[in-house]
Amino acid sequence: MTNNEERAGQKTADASESWDITTNLGATALAVAAQRAAETAQTHPLVRDEFAAILVAAVNEPGWIAMASGDLSWMGRENELGPRTAIVGREYVATRTVFFDEFCASAIEQGIQQVAIVAAGLDARSYRLPCLAGIHVYEIDQPAIHEFKQSTLRAQGHTPIANTHPVAVDLRNDDWPIALTEAGWDEAVPTAWIIEGLLPYLSSTEHERLFRTVTQLSANRSQLAAEVYHHATSHFGSERLERWKEEAADIDTALGVDVDVTAFIKHDDATDTASWLTNHGWVTETLDSRSEMARLGRPIPADLIDTAPASSLVTAVLPMTHEEGVAAALSRCSEDEQDTPG
């Protein structure tokens, strides 16, 4: 067994234990925040998340701070493969951030009043998205992650725009819906669910359990957005995964940080999320992240298209029942009659 294999095996074992912001799965949240900070530092960024750099800086480790700076000189010359690949990775994270930001805005425009962010990590939407002002946002994640994010931003004088409700619970605990309810979430009210950066780390059984629970908790007219990797397809095949491992090793060496999230990926999950949702009553739409990157002016270079990050960005709506539809139609007719001059 090689040293890398031993390290991967140890990480996989450690992933079943508790973790904080710089260890195990906590480091994945930190890495994504560093990517958002790096994009924000660009001249014409796709997203602006000034809170990301604050959170990364709070770990007080030079490697993470360098990653968040947006300067890739530590990886080599700008036209070399390493920096070019890193840029595509950063732009992928920015693209998916835009996708979920737009989902939030659209859901709220359609009347959604509560949002649940599953495995929220260092997501700062509650602080930076104007559309969330006055909206109840339930952020579900490990207690250590909540404590780090809240204490760090509070110390800098930042308060959420949204009515934020931290739900400090491990999603591996089947009782997490109880914690969600105790935090004030209302099962009778339509919810917008955000599932970002989570599904690669779930087995097929865990995937089934998560979406079955979310479906059971969702009132009619609830909405959902998810980032999906299909492990056995071109989205997440062996070549892509091997390239990801190589990049993680390069970053480890250059910065002295541990960002090899590939050790936590579950390879048995061939579940088609969109099909699962459709088969369980949701009306779904799917976008290819590569098409979205091109739409936003960040197309993947031709020589990297087969190895760069790629996912399906899925949105879904749980439609109203027939009875509710009839009631809504009658209500609209009544309103029209009242508006008609006598």
Side-chain angles (χ1 to χ4, degrees):
M1 180 179 288
T2 67
N3 290 337
N4 284 341
E5 288 172 334
E6 289 176 353
R7 184 176 66 173
Q10 182 62 48
K11 285 182 180 179
T12 302
D14 291 344
S16 65
E17 306 299 330
S18 60
W19 38 266
D20 60 25
I21 195 59
T22 58
T23 62
N24 296 328
L25 284 170
T28 69
L30 193 57
V32 172
Q35 293 280 52
R36 288 197 299 265
E39 178 66 20
T40 302
Q42 303 307 306
T43 304
H44 301 291
L46 285 179
V47 294
R48 296 183 183 276
D49 183 354
E50 66 271 27
F51 303 102
I54 295 171
L55 292 165
V56 175
V59 304
N60 198 29
E61 293 184 9
W64 287 111
I65 294 171
M67 188 187 300
S69 71
D71 178 5
L72 292 173
S73 59
W74 50 270
M75 288 198 73
R77 295 192 185 95
E78 185 176 342
N79 63 346
E80 291 180 345
L81 181 61
R84 292 175 62 240
T85 302
I87 289 170
V88 172
R90 183 191 73 218
E91 293 178 342
Y92 168 78
V93 169
T95 296
R96 85 175 193 191
T97 301
V98 171
F99 168 76
F100 285 103
D101 286 357
E102 291 180 345
F103 167 77
C104 278
S106 175
I108 291 164
E109 185 177 337
Q110 294 173 57
I112 294 289
Q113 292 295 303
Q114 65 181 13
V115 176
I117 305 177
V118 182
L122 298 183
D123 183 289
R125 289 186 173 90
S126 292
Y127 291 80
R128 66 177 178 81
L129 285 188
C131 67
L132 291 178
I135 300 297
H136 292 279
V137 178
Y138 298 87
E139 300 185 353
I140 309 168
D141 214 322
Q142 295 267 0
I145 303 299
H146 283 299
E147 174 58 29
F148 173 79
K149 179 164 66 174
Q150 292 170 36
S151 62
T152 298
L153 295 180
R154 190 184 307 119
Q156 296 288 327
H158 299 294
T159 56
I161 296 172
N163 292 327
T164 306
H165 307 267
V167 184
V169 66
D170 192 325
L171 280 165
R172 294 170 294 187
N173 184 340
D174 289 338
D175 290 337
W176 68 262
I178 296 176
L180 179 62
T181 301
E182 290 176 346
W185 176 83
D186 187 347
E187 66 177 350
V189 175
T191 302
W193 300 91
I194 293 177
I195 304 175
E196 177 183 14
L198 171 64
L199 298 185
Y201 312 116
L202 301 185
S203 66
S204 56
T205 299
E206 291 166 335
H207 178 284
E208 166 83 15
R209 185 164 60 242
L210 172 66
F211 282 99
R212 189 171 294 280
T213 300
V214 166
T215 300
Q216 291 171 344
L217 293 175
S218 296
N220 293 321
R221 295 186 297 275
S222 289
Q223 301 188 31
L224 180 152
E227 174 199 23
V228 179
Y229 288 93
H230 302 298
H231 295 168
T233 71
S234 61
H235 277 76
F236 209 3
S238 58
E239 185 177 356
R240 229 178 266 282
L241 186 59
E242 188 59 35
R243 173 64 66 84
W244 194 356
K245 288 180 179 179
E246 292 172 359
E247 292 168 9
D250 290 343
I251 292 173
D252 280 0
T253 300
L255 294 179
V257 299
D258 194 352
V259 293
D260 182 11
V261 300
T262 63
F264 308 125
I265 292 171
K266 302 292 181 67
H267 300 280
D268 70 329
D269 185 8
T271 305
D272 185 328
T273 304
S275 293
W276 192 99
L277 291 167
T278 299
N279 292 336
H280 290 79
W282 297 80
V283 178
T284 63
E285 293 185 9
T286 301
L287 299 172
D288 190 299
S289 64
R290 292 165 290 194
S291 298
E292 280 298 281
M293 291 179 73
R295 180 181 72 86
L296 295 173
R298 302 294 194 274
I300 300 173
D303 62 329
L304 298 179
I305 195 71
D306 291 330
T307 55
S311 66
S312 293
L313 301 173
V314 176
T315 54
V317 178
L318 196 61
M320 67 175 64
T321 64
H322 173 72
E323 291 77 10
E324 286 182 314
V326 171
L330 291 174
S331 176
R332 286 194 296 271
C333 288
S334 177
E335 291 174 357
D336 290 342
E337 289 176 358
Q338 291 176 6
D339 292 339
T340 302

